[in-house]
Amino acid sequence: MKFTVECVGKAGGRIGKISNLRGQPDMIHETPLFLVTTLGGSAPHLTQDNLHLVVQKERPICVPAQHFCDHSKTLTAFKKGVAHFAALKSHSVCVSVQDPSKATPSGYNEKRGISLWTYSGRQVLSAERYLTLVEAMQPDWYESLNDADTDKESSKKRITKSIAISSSLLDQCIEGHKNSSELQKAVLFAPLLGGHSELDRRRWAKEVAERLSGGIEGFSLLGIHTNGLTAENIEPEVASCLARSSLDPLPPKYPRQSFGAWNPLTVLSLIEVGIDMFDSSFPFLVTERRGALTFASSLDSTHSNNTVNQESFKHQDKKFKSDEKNSTGAEDDKKTKDNKENCLEEEGAITSPFEICLKEESNFELMEPLLEGCACYSCKNFTRSYIHHLVKVNEMLAPVLLMIHNLHHWNTFFESIRSAIKEDKLDELKTAVEASIKGL
């Protein structure tokens, strides 16, 4: 991988170019960029053909290691890597340790390895076993194995333990990367950790800087949330401040990524401080709760001041389920950890001000698209009333149409971000997003 910074906007953010990827030696990707989140190697709810209706067929994908640690031997015998295995051979691949769209259970990491929650249960991966899996997956770049089990509630002791375990794992990954001709075809990203402690983040970043000569060629901002819905509620100012603490001690020439279900305003704040790559966890989780993104995705879009009636904005007063986890008590204990973050409520949907909820009865007679002016396949061919019907009867087509719309909207948003940085209008785009979620 080769990364070059083309320009830095006056209002923040930077335009970069990624080239010379292992699986795409002739392809150039412009950043800021989002990677397509995958589950088991496939884009959620979408076939390959449907995916390519929304994004280009060379778009990088994020493949969590936890989805394939049961299949290391199979991938090794297959010999062509996870992209070919999943019939997405035209896409470049980034391997993350955990699934950014699914909440990671806390308190299970050990000195001997990191806990991954697979379809067959919990598995503890050592650095050696993880690198063997990465070799079989043949990615273009991958995260070092790490303990990112920290959030705003983490104690000083937990943060210290996270850094200590990750430091040992990073050294092992650097050594294993050097000694493997297969891994040297990919790029190693170091984790930027420290929980919500700016001091610990700066201290860890300095330790990472001392290891740059060992083969590290990128950084992954982690440890601010524990994946799933936990990323949505983090204030943009908090996320950008913690990101700045991690990035300031490091040279700016390396690519930086931050996966998770960041909301659009937090994405913009992270881009302002220099994050280059994200993923599509947020539009996926919006689809899972049967929502459709409606925030202003560009400065010149006809729906920047979307004419949604006030009934559609009732969800602004609703709480995320993760906000109520301490008050539900025994009821939460009855639900499995795997599904707790992504489950849907029967009446009041878990939602955000960036979307409309297709479960609401107000959509029953609305013969209009999900979003006026949207050019996606779903908005061109189907009405909110029809998609509301599909949602109410649990028809499989409902999440397909919503995912097409949400991924298209997310793609348009990132295209607008790149244009805004080039034109020094990133602050104007941020203002437009803020205005749209207030229904102005």
Side-chain angles (χ1 to χ4, degrees):
M1 173 193 284
K2 179 182 179 182
F3 177 76
T4 56
V5 178
E6 296 291 307
C7 69
V8 178
K10 293 179 180 178
R14 62 185 194 170
I15 297 294
K17 288 187 176 179
I18 296 174
S19 58
N20 293 341
L21 291 171
R22 174 184 190 169
Q24 300 173 336
D26 300 322
M27 187 68 189
I28 296 176
H29 297 285
E30 194 171 55
T31 64
L33 172 76
F34 79 88
L35 281 63
V36 177
T37 299
T38 63
L39 299 180
S42 298
H45 304 300
L46 302 180
T47 64
Q48 183 195 71
D49 292 339
N50 288 338
L51 175 63
H52 293 164
L53 284 174
V54 186
V55 299
Q56 61 185 141
K57 63 180 181 179
E58 295 85 12
R59 175 63 58 87
I61 60 176
C62 172
V63 182
Q66 73 178 89
H67 295 166
F68 285 93
C69 61
D70 286 331
H71 308 292
S72 182
K73 292 182 179 179
T74 302
L75 285 172
T76 300
F78 184 67
K79 297 181 180 180
K80 295 181 181 179
V82 70
H84 283 252
F85 186 77
L88 293 172
K89 61 182 180 180
S90 64
H91 297 261
S92 55
V93 174
C94 167
V95 170
S96 63
V97 177
Q98 305 283 4
D99 181 352
S101 69
K102 194 172 185 178
T104 304
S106 296
Y108 293 93
N109 294 332
E110 308 170 7
K111 289 183 179 179
R112 65 188 177 97
I114 302 302
S115 292
L116 301 184
W117 301 86
T118 72
Y119 298 110
S120 61
R122 176 191 174 214
Q123 294 196 29
V124 179
L125 249 66
S126 63
E128 181 180 2
R129 186 181 169 195
Y130 174 70
L131 292 177
T132 299
L133 173 61
V134 172
E135 281 185 335
M137 295 177 76
Q138 298 181 19
D140 296 87
W141 71 96
Y142 67 99
E143 292 178 351
S144 168
L145 191 62
N146 61 79
D147 179 0
D149 182 16
T150 54
D151 57 20
K152 64 180 180 180
E153 304 296 335
S154 297
S155 64
K156 176 68 175 179
K157 182 179 179 181
R158 171 85 278 270
I159 293 173
T160 301
K161 184 177 179 181
S162 163
I163 290 176
I165 293 175
S166 299
S167 178
S168 174
L169 293 173
L170 179 57
D171 288 337
Q172 294 177 61
C173 286
I174 289 174
E175 188 64 25
H177 187 89
K178 287 180 181 178
N179 297 332
S180 170
S181 58
E182 189 65 33
L183 289 176
Q184 287 180 12
K185 298 176 184 177
V187 168
L188 174 64
F189 274 47
L192 301 181
L193 306 167
H196 282 237
S197 168
E198 294 181 39
L199 180 62
D200 287 311
R201 285 197 166 273
R202 284 192 292 268
R203 184 182 298 124
W204 170 246
K206 291 177 182 178
E207 290 187 31
V208 171
E210 295 173 356
R211 294 174 165 92
L212 289 179
S213 60
I216 296 171
E217 297 184 50
F219 308 116
S220 189
L221 183 68
L222 298 167
I224 299 177
H225 58 82
T226 53
N227 301 314
L229 288 177
T230 61
E232 287 193 52
N233 292 331
I234 297 175
E235 293 295 328
E237 296 78 10
V238 172
S240 61
C241 186
L242 294 173
R244 189 177 290 109
S245 298
S246 289
L247 296 175
D248 283 349
L250 297 166
K253 65 179 181 178
Y254 295 98
R256 304 129 167 202
Q257 65 186 24
S258 183
F259 296 155
W262 303 113
N263 68 58
L265 289 176
T266 306
V267 166
L268 289 170
S269 294
L270 289 173
I271 285 174
E272 286 175 343
V273 299
I275 299 296
D276 303 299
M277 292 181 285
F278 300 82
D279 74 316
S280 60
S281 294
F282 183 71
F284 166 55
L285 292 183
V286 171
T287 300
E288 288 295 272
R289 56 189 179 237
R290 302 304 183 257
L293 293 174
T294 56
F295 69 92
S297 59
S298 66
L299 285 172
D300 57 352
S301 61
T302 58
H303 54 264
S304 59
N305 290 322
N306 186 37
T307 56
V308 180
N309 59 43
Q310 291 302 312
E311 184 75 11
S312 298
F313 283 96
K314 291 192 300 183
H315 58 263
Q316 292 191 40
D317 297 324
K318 298 176 183 177
K319 296 181 179 179
F320 286 107
K321 196 173 185 68
S322 58
D323 283 341
E324 301 174 346
K325 63 181 179 181
N326 293 326
S327 61
T328 53
E331 292 183 12
D332 279 352
D333 295 337
K334 297 178 182 179
K335 298 179 180 179
T336 64
K337 293 181 179 179
D338 286 345
N339 295 327
K340 180 165 53 173
E341 292 294 339
N342 293 336
C343 69
L344 298 172
E345 296 178 357
E346 286 299 317
E347 296 299 331
I350 312 163
T351 185
S352 76
F354 303 94
E355 68 202 70
I356 56 171
C357 177
L358 271 298
K359 297 181 76 174
E360 292 181 355
E361 295 297 332
S362 59
N363 296 288
F364 183 76
E365 295 181 345
L366 291 180
M367 307 304 290
E368 58 190 54
L370 295 171
L371 183 59
E372 291 290 349
C374 179
C376 78
Y377 174 82
S378 300
C379 287
K380 282 185 173 182
N381 294 279
F382 303 96
T383 64
R384 281 168 62 174
S385 177
Y386 177 65
I387 297 177
H388 165 72
H389 161 71
L390 296 177
V391 168
K392 296 299 285 186
V393 299
N394 294 319
E395 170 59 48
M396 290 176 61
L397 182 58
V400 173
L401 295 178
L402 289 172
M403 191 66 191
I404 288 174
H405 167 77
N406 291 333
L407 199 59
H408 175 273
H409 198 79
W410 202 240
N411 189 49
T412 302
F413 179 48
F414 272 81
E415 289 175 351
S416 301
I417 289 172
R418 292 190 291 271
S419 297
I421 294 174
K422 293 173 184 177
E423 300 170 7
D424 290 322
K425 293 182 178 179
L426 193 61
D427 52 348
E428 295 181 29
L429 179 60
K430 194 171 185 178
T431 300
V433 173
E434 291 172 340
S436 69
I437 67 173
K438 294 176 182 177
L440 299 179

